[in-house]
Amino acid sequence: MLLMCIWVLISTFMNNTATVLVSKGETRAQAWLGLMAASLNIGLSILLVQKIGSEGVILGTILSYLIVLIVPQTVIAWNVLNGRTDKGAIGA
């Protein structure tokens, strides 16, 4: 239950940053980061389910977001909100 609560907090935060990026048409980096996170999520979830059971699925999702998405997407959204867009950024 605790892991699901953590996931809801992370998901809510990331939905807000995603909304900022979509509203400004800055979706390329978001798409690439999402693909990387999804790939990592699948691998981690399979590994963790084998090691710790069903909790491994949500833990794999949390870890993939922490590793791949949270910092880069937040920085990109922050820059967009502040009027700074770097076309040299990931996938831009």
Side-chain angles (χ1 to χ4, degrees):
M1 187 64 80
L2 176 62
L3 291 174
M4 290 299 292
C5 291
I6 293 168
W7 166 243
V8 168
L9 292 173
I10 292 170
S11 178
T12 301
F13 177 75
M14 295 310 294
N15 285 339
N16 290 328
T17 61
T19 301
V20 168
L21 295 176
V22 169
S23 71
K24 296 293 188 173
E26 299 284 335
T27 57
R28 183 168 287 185
Q30 182 183 10
W32 284 109
L33 290 167
L35 285 171
M36 288 187 285
S39 299
L40 182 60
N41 185 1
I42 291 169
L44 281 174
S45 292
I46 291 170
L47 178 71
L48 291 171
V49 162
Q50 293 172 348
K51 298 284 185 190
I52 63 173
S54 61
E55 293 89 2
V57 176
I58 191 65
L59 187 56
T61 302
I62 291 169
L63 290 174
S64 68
Y65 266 62
L66 289 173
I67 293 167
V68 177
L69 276 176
I70 290 178
V71 172
Q73 187 167 309
T74 302
V75 168
I76 294 168
W78 185 259
N79 287 337
V80 166
L81 284 173
N82 289 310
R84 298 183 307 254
T85 57
D86 179 13
K87 293 301 178 187
I90 298 172

